[in-house]
Amino acid sequence: MYSLRPYQTEAVSSVIAHFRKTRHPALVVLPTGAGKSLVIAELARMARGRVLCLAHVKELVEQNHGKYESYDLEAGIFAAGLGRKDQGQKVIFGSIQSVARAKDEFFQDFNLLIVDECHRISLDEKSQYLQVIRKMQRANPSLCILGLTATPYRLGMGWIFEYHYRGFVGSREPRFFKHCVFELSLRYMIDHKYLTPPIRIDAPVACYDFSQLRLSQKTGTFKLADIENCLREQNRVTPGIVGHIVSLSQEREAVMIFTSSVAHAKEILSLLPSGEAALVVGDTSGQERDRIIHDFKQRQIKFLVNVSVLTTGFDAPHVDLIALLRPTESVSLFQQIVGRGLRLSPGKKDCLVLDYTGLAYDLFAPEIDDPRPSEDTELVKVPCPECGFENQFWGRVDDEGQVMEHFGRKCKGAHENPHTLEIETCSFRFRFKICDACGAENDIAARQCHSCKEQIVDVDSRLKKAMELRDAHVMRPDTMMLRRSFDKKKRERLEVAYFDVDAQALKEYYYLSNSRQAQAFYYNFVRMHIRNPGATLTIGSVDEAINSQEKFRMPLFVIARKTKYFWEVREKIF
């Protein structure tokens, strides 16, 4: 019989607690090597009815089934690729392709559906996964659906869940999985010696330059043609890289090489020691692929080259060198690839990770929805002043590590109402634009006010309209200065001056002699200009404002209207 690790027991308990409250689909995130088969086994043992466990490739079906039966448990297989279509057992492991074509009677009596590598599920009702799920739900409206994945982030889509049990929003768009009920980090697994520690070496000899590649807005991935153009321009680099891999693999058991394209993979294969390497690509026949993987696992070949086919569902614990020769579009994909070499194996002390891409992903960094604004930004923690949730955004820090600026827009904090079980999200916005009609704060990209539903005029339209006016001045400032000045009655005030490249100036003034004026300054200046929105910044005097100048950002445009004697600043666009 088997015994669960503490985190596996916690994962099982979280799933059970969730389904006792609701039948919303649940998600469990476990990194590679965390023993999800044990979680499956325990949930199947405890289930009152039948259990169907789906995967997208036959290797994963066979792997999950084999591990399940190794615990002295019995289960069937429903996968044409494995030559079996069992139906009578309490627990069935199936491939989605075969199960989608099964007759209606197959779907009776299941109480629990478990989907491995569940990040492949979409909301497309025509997809095989949703067709199977709808059939099972018609047979049992109280069906419990659990997804397992190591990567809850999907390229071109973002987070695959709506709410995380740690109190934050995943996606604000509808997702199949409503709740992530348990997550275990890769760092936890390595620190507690459940996985082999990685030793990363960043291309000490040579590397490819993929820095000019840009993600497709439609798919969230790099275009193959762009990658191949990069490789053609840098074809002299490849022999040196392969030579370096071979040199560092002398005392290694098994090497997996992840390449960018079929042509790239074939070139690499030709440079590896003859008889010690093999190649698997998408077009490799099933029989040939099975033979190559078998030989690799039996240590008959040392180098396994692949193109985007062995990033998931592949289990070869003796792999102790991972070489990346392909650009990865996200932290999640990088973690997936490196995870192929982190499983424990007798005699294995560590896993070398050779990164020849120059993209420098952090193996332990969390996935961030928004693209990185620039190379000089890093992940920063930003607490919400309204709900206290600690957000992670791109930002900049000073020499002492203090956050000086961040690019977060809305707090991701949320909580589950214990009575209604509805998810209630924090409404605080770090960056916003104000509706001219009702004064409500909206997302900076909003086109319609969320409060009054009036149309919000976009930046280009505002600028165009201002430029058409005879009495308007539109400035693109080059410098912003805060300094002390005095009005005609000798009253102290703060002067904010904006200068363009021709040294022309627009100015605005604020009085700060009492709390009411300080509050007006906050609403009219501080909350729009502050580099680190959400931070506590109390300005009660002109001196304090001037001393805080570095904490304020300069607008992209300043729009002023001509009055009788001077230009009055009416609007600032950031």
Side-chain angles (χ1 to χ4, degrees):
M1 195 59 178
Y2 58 85
S3 59
L4 299 182
R5 293 170 178 171
Y7 66 82
Q8 292 166 336
T9 300
E10 187 178 348
V12 170
S13 299
S14 298
V15 172
I16 293 172
H18 172 79
F19 287 131
R20 281 177 177 165
K21 294 189 299 182
T22 179
R23 286 295 188 265
H24 286 155
L27 175 71
V28 167
V29 180
L30 294 172
T32 301
K36 62 188 174 187
S37 56
L38 280 168
V39 174
I40 294 171
E42 182 65 3
L43 288 169
R45 183 187 68 81
M46 300 178 70
R48 295 179 181 177
R50 299 179 67 210
V51 180
L52 175 62
C53 185
L54 289 177
H56 67 290
V57 292
K58 68 174 185 178
E59 291 87 357
L60 202 50
V61 174
E62 187 174 37
Q63 180 178 300
N64 288 342
H65 175 266
K67 287 190 174 181
Y68 185 84
E69 291 208 326
S70 72
Y71 307 137
D72 295 326
L73 300 169
E74 182 185 357
I77 289 179
F78 196 96
L82 297 174
R84 291 175 59 177
K85 289 194 175 181
D86 304 328
Q87 298 191 42
Q89 293 87 342
K90 177 187 175 182
V91 180
I92 300 288
F93 288 85
S95 70
I96 181 59
Q97 297 84 355
S98 296
V99 171
R101 293 192 292 268
K103 295 181 179 179
D104 288 346
E105 51 264 29
F106 172 82
F107 299 97
Q108 304 300 314
D109 304 324
F110 285 108
N111 278 26
L112 174 63
L113 169 64
I114 301 175
V115 181
D116 200 359
E117 304 292 351
C118 68
H119 52 273
R120 295 177 173 273
I121 297 178
S122 70
L123 290 176
D124 181 4
E125 290 291 339
K126 295 181 180 179
S127 67
Q128 289 183 321
Y129 274 113
L130 280 204
Q131 287 177 5
V132 167
I133 289 168
R134 299 306 180 225
K135 288 180 181 179
M136 296 181 72
Q137 288 177 326
R138 283 194 292 269
N140 179 9
S142 297
L143 177 73
C144 297
I145 304 173
L146 173 67
L148 295 170
T149 185
T151 53
Y153 191 89
R154 189 172 178 179
L155 293 171
M157 177 180 177
W159 297 109
I160 65 171
F161 60 87
E162 294 181 16
Y163 173 71
H164 197 285
Y165 71 102
R166 290 179 183 149
F168 67 88
V169 177
S171 171
R172 298 187 189 276
E173 300 295 323
R175 293 290 182 260
F176 179 79
F177 292 101
K178 305 303 178 187
H179 295 75
C180 175
V181 299
F182 183 80
E183 181 174 11
L184 191 69
S185 70
L186 193 62
R187 186 181 293 278
Y188 176 94
M189 293 290 293
I190 293 170
D191 288 347
H192 288 77
K193 303 188 186 312
Y194 293 127
L195 289 177
T196 302
I199 298 178
R200 181 169 175 174
I201 299 176
D202 286 322
V205 179
C207 70
Y208 298 113
D209 181 6
F210 292 122
S211 61
Q212 299 304 310
L213 292 177
R214 294 294 178 264
L215 294 176
S216 165
Q217 291 185 347
K218 184 176 181 180
T219 64
T221 60
F222 296 124
K223 294 179 181 178
L224 180 59
D226 293 343
I227 295 174
E228 290 181 333
N229 285 337
C230 278
L231 292 172
R232 274 194 295 271
E233 293 171 0
Q234 305 173 63
N235 59 352
R236 295 182 180 181
V237 177
T238 304
I241 288 176
V242 176
H244 186 245
I245 294 171
V246 172
S247 173
L248 289 179
S249 70
Q250 295 299 316
E251 298 180 0
R252 295 282 150 175
E253 292 290 326
V255 180
M256 288 187 72
I257 302 175
F258 293 83
T259 63
S260 300
S261 68
V262 174
H264 187 216
K266 289 179 177 178
E267 179 189 6
I268 290 165
L269 183 66
S270 70
L271 297 169
L272 290 167
S274 179
E276 295 184 46
L279 169 64
V280 176
V281 298
D283 293 336
T284 305
S285 67
Q287 188 174 357
E288 176 70 1
R289 175 171 166 162
D290 290 345
R291 182 191 65 77
I292 291 172
I293 290 176
H294 174 270
D295 290 349
F296 183 68
K297 289 183 176 181
Q298 294 300 312
R299 311 189 187 206
Q300 295 173 16
I301 55 175
K302 184 172 184 175
F303 301 91
L304 183 56
V305 185
N306 83 99
V307 186
S308 302
V309 292
L310 299 178
T311 55
T312 60
F314 179 78
D315 186 3
H318 70 302
V319 171
D320 55 0
L321 193 156
I322 297 288
L324 284 92
L325 284 75
R326 57 153 294 177
T328 48
E329 293 89 341
S330 68
V331 172
S332 295
L333 181 56
F334 179 76
Q335 292 170 339
Q336 270 186 321
I337 290 173
V338 174
R340 301 304 106 198
L342 300 186
R343 291 183 183 273
L344 300 177
S345 182
K348 181 176 171 182
K349 295 181 180 179
D350 53 46
C351 176
L352 278 188
V353 179
L354 309 181
D355 188 352
Y356 299 97
T357 67
L359 296 178
Y361 279 117
D362 181 350
L363 182 61
F364 303 109
E367 192 71 68
I368 300 296
D369 274 339
D370 301 315
R372 190 175 184 179
S374 60
E375 290 296 320
D376 65 339
T377 57
E378 59 185 81
L379 291 180
V380 296
K381 294 181 178 180
V382 182
C384 173
E386 193 167 290
C387 73
F389 177 74
E390 194 171 72
N391 295 272
Q392 289 190 309
F393 298 130
W394 294 112
R396 296 186 178 94
V397 299
D398 60 18
D399 294 338
E400 297 178 353
Q402 297 296 313
V403 178
M404 293 296 295
E405 180 177 17
H406 74 78
F407 297 89
R409 288 154 66 165
K410 191 174 189 296
C411 176
K412 296 180 181 292
H415 71 278
E416 185 179 58
N417 187 305
H419 305 293
T420 65
L421 302 183
E422 293 294 319
I423 304 305
E424 299 176 357
T425 61
C426 178
S427 61
F428 184 80
R429 297 182 188 276
F430 294 96
R431 299 285 189 209
F432 52 86
K433 57 184 176 183
I434 297 173
C435 173
D436 292 334
C438 71
E441 294 179 359
N442 289 270
D443 183 78
I444 57 175
R447 294 188 176 184
Q448 184 183 57
C449 177
H450 72 90
S451 179
C452 70
K453 308 304 179 186
E454 286 291 322
Q455 183 179 358
I456 297 176
V457 182
D458 62 72
V459 171
D460 290 339
S461 298
R462 286 177 183 269
L463 291 173
K464 185 177 179 181
K465 184 178 179 180
M467 289 176 179
E468 291 174 349
L469 298 173
R470 291 183 180 179
D471 62 346
H473 178 36
V474 178
M475 172 191 283
R476 184 159 196 163
D478 181 65
T479 307
M480 180 179 77
M481 292 182 61
L482 275 66
R483 54 196 179 191
R484 187 192 322 276
S485 72
F486 297 89
D487 64 14
K488 293 180 179 179
K489 296 181 179 180
K490 306 298 182 183
R491 292 178 300 185
E492 182 185 57
R493 62 186 180 180
L494 175 69
E495 177 185 288
V496 182
Y498 306 96
F499 298 92
D500 63 14
V501 292
D502 297 321
Q504 292 189 51
L506 290 174
K507 300 176 182 179
E508 55 182 341
Y509 301 93
Y510 297 95
Y511 293 92
L512 291 165
S513 59
N514 57 52
S515 60
R516 182 177 55 80
Q517 292 174 346
Q519 190 169 11
F521 177 64
Y522 170 79
Y523 280 104
N524 292 316
F525 185 88
V526 174
R527 67 175 184 153
M528 301 299 292
H529 283 263
I530 189 168
R531 291 182 181 274
N532 183 14
T536 301
L537 181 60
T538 303
I539 302 293
S541 68
V542 171
D543 284 337
E544 288 176 352
I546 294 171
N547 292 336
S548 300
Q549 180 157 339
E550 291 185 357
K551 297 180 180 179
F552 299 126
R553 59 178 179 155
M554 184 171 63
L556 290 174
F557 295 95
V558 178
I559 300 174
R561 297 290 294 274
K562 182 77 173 184
T563 63
K564 188 174 183 179
Y565 298 109
F566 58 90
W567 290 98
E568 181 182 359
V569 174
R570 293 286 184 86
E571 186 174 2
K572 290 168 283 188
I573 296 174
F574 293 86

